[in-house]
Amino acid sequence: MEPGDPRRLHRLHDGDLAADERARVEAGLSDEDRARLAAIEQVGAALRNTLEAEAAGFDIAAAVMARLPASPATAGVTPISAARSWRSRARGVLGSRSVWLSTAVAAAAAVLLFALPWGGGVAEAATDECEIESLEVTGASATVLRLPATRGEGTSTVVWLDEEEGP
Amino acid sequence: MRLAVAVALLLCAAGPVRADEPGARCLLRVVHALPQEGGVDEKLAPLKDRLTRAPFREWKTFKLLSTEERDLQPSAAAEYPLPGGQKASLLFAEHATSPEGKHLVRGSFKLEGGKSTSRTMFSLDEGGVLLVAGQKHAGGILIYALSCKTEK
């Protein structure tokens, strides 16, 4: 396993590797890689369960109505309490808004969210905070990486697009 | 019918933008990452720490392809030209302020015209960076780095 190669881990997890390559990759898995695989499986299962539950009783009109109180125009500047509430709803892999949009594009997109300690250090800690409320993707699978900064000063957020093979 | 009513209500709720609502200045950097050794373009110094850690470790050269800055009012969108005829569009939805004076920008970032299309809805701290990466381009990948400052 080449270091920093999450795509191969995803392909291994998804069963997309040929038998010989799978054997080779599995033989080269580090403890960190195994931990990543376990996290991918856990989050994937949680996301699948939630999407199935949402799809069973999905009501798009109700979903749109539910968005009205948070509409940008209802309050030009959102109090931080509201913003944090919004953030907490969006935080993590099971935020209702994420699921709503993900459900809407489920046929065309593969969306996987997870947070993992990728290890390694940075010379200077990143201090930005960015929350992903929702993600719609076609023609690629997407992974949201929340990378913990060193020195406990915040995180970095990366939306990683893994484009499908072919023309 | 319910959907039509809901959409109509949503559009009505959007309403006119108040003059006192602060706008935002959003900067989009487009970076070409390549696996060959070459280092980080000095113009990318503000991003160097982010580009030299996971998940970018397998990329050794980072070139700045373009830098575009746009001023946006709430609920307004702007387009950013991209390599290969692709297009990025940014919608600045709203601005939020914390009691400590920390500013947040909410919006969506859309990439289209290439092999894949994506739309990311985000809430970004002022001074923070949203990175969208992985689209294949000329033997490497593209990395989009978006950051915003509010006008307050």
Side-chain angles (χ1 to χ4, degrees), chain A residues 73 80 86 133 136 159 161 164, chain B residues 13-14 115 119 121 123 131 133:
Chain A
I80 189 63
W86 171 81
E133 182 179 4
E136 299 172 52
V159 176
L161 304 173
E164 295 163 0
Chain B
K115 194 173 173 182
R119 188 177 72 149
M121 297 179 69
S123 171
L131 295 171

Side-chain angles (χ1 to χ4, degrees), chain A residues 4 7 59 73 76 78 80 86-87 119 122 124 128-129 131 133-134 136 138 147-148 159 161 163-164 166, chain B residues 2 13-14 21 49-50 53 57-58 94 99 106 115-119 121-123 125 128-129 131 133 136:
Chain A
R7 289 171 294 178
D59 183 338
T78 306
I80 189 63
W86 171 81
R87 278 187 160 187
V122 291
E124 183 178 334
D128 57 294
E129 286 284 346
E131 298 287 347
E133 182 179 4
S134 68
E136 299 172 52
T138 56
L147 308 172
V159 176
L161 304 173
E163 293 186 323
E164 295 163 0
Chain B
R2 288 184 67 196
E21 290 181 5
D49 291 333
R50 294 178 178 86
R53 62 180 297 196
R57 286 209 186 99
E58 65 183 282
E94 66 179 345
R106 285 185 64 197
K115 194 173 173 182
S116 62
T117 298
S118 66
R119 188 177 72 149
M121 297 179 69
F122 62 86
S123 171
D125 282 5
V129 181
L131 295 171
K136 293 179 176 61

Side-chain angles (χ1 to χ4, degrees), chain A residues 65-165:
Chain A
M65 297 285 256
R67 291 176 64 83
L68 286 177
S71 169
T74 56
V77 177
T78 306
I80 189 63
S81 57
R84 282 189 172 149
S85 172
W86 171 81
R87 278 187 160 187
S88 67
R89 287 196 301 273
R91 191 186 302 277
V93 298
L94 302 180
S96 58
R97 291 171 183 230
S98 300
V99 170
W100 176 64
L101 285 173
S102 298
T103 304
V105 298
V111 178
L112 176 63
L113 312 179
F114 70 99
L116 285 174
W118 286 87
V122 291
E124 183 178 334
T127 58
D128 57 294
E129 286 284 346
C130 180
E131 298 287 347
I132 304 300
E133 182 179 4
S134 68
L135 181 58
E136 299 172 52
V137 182
T138 56
S141 59
T143 305
V144 177
L145 303 169
R146 290 183 55 78
L147 308 172
T150 56
R151 301 175 194 171
E153 291 189 10
T155 61
S156 290
T157 301
V158 181
V159 176
W160 191 275
L161 304 173
D162 194 1
E163 293 186 323
E164 295 163 0
E165 298 297 329

Side-chain angles (χ1 to χ4, degrees), chain A residues 1-6 8 24 28 33 36, chain B residues 58:
Chain A
M1 175 73 58
E2 293 125 7
D5 189 0
R8 188 161 296 177
R24 185 162 47 82
D33 292 328
R36 289 178 182 173
Chain B
E58 65 183 282

Side-chain angles (χ1 to χ4, degrees), chain B residues 61-116:
Chain B
T61 296
F62 298 90
K63 295 178 183 172
L64 179 63
L65 291 185
S66 68
T67 301
E68 295 279 345
E69 197 168 51
R70 297 280 190 275
D71 290 318
L72 289 164
Q73 293 304 308
S75 302
E79 290 190 355
Y80 298 80
L82 297 177
Q86 293 192 75
K87 182 176 70 175
S89 50
L90 173 68
L91 170 67
F92 169 45
E94 66 179 345
H95 161 259
T97 308
S98 74
E100 301 84 19
K102 196 170 185 180
H103 297 277
L104 308 174
V105 171
R106 285 185 64 197
S108 73
F109 179 65
K110 185 173 184 180
L111 293 170
E112 56 189 334
K115 194 173 173 182
S116 62

Side-chain angles (χ1 to χ4, degrees), chain B residues 27-33 39-52 61-67 131 143-145:
Chain B
L27 173 68
L28 180 67
R29 295 184 182 95
V30 183
V31 180
H32 188 199
V40 180
D41 189 331
E42 62 182 23
K43 296 179 196 135
L44 291 169
L47 298 175
K48 185 173 181 179
D49 291 333
R50 294 178 178 86
L51 297 177
T52 51
T61 296
F62 298 90
K63 295 178 183 172
L64 179 63
L65 291 185
S66 68
T67 301
L131 295 171
I143 302 170
Y144 305 96

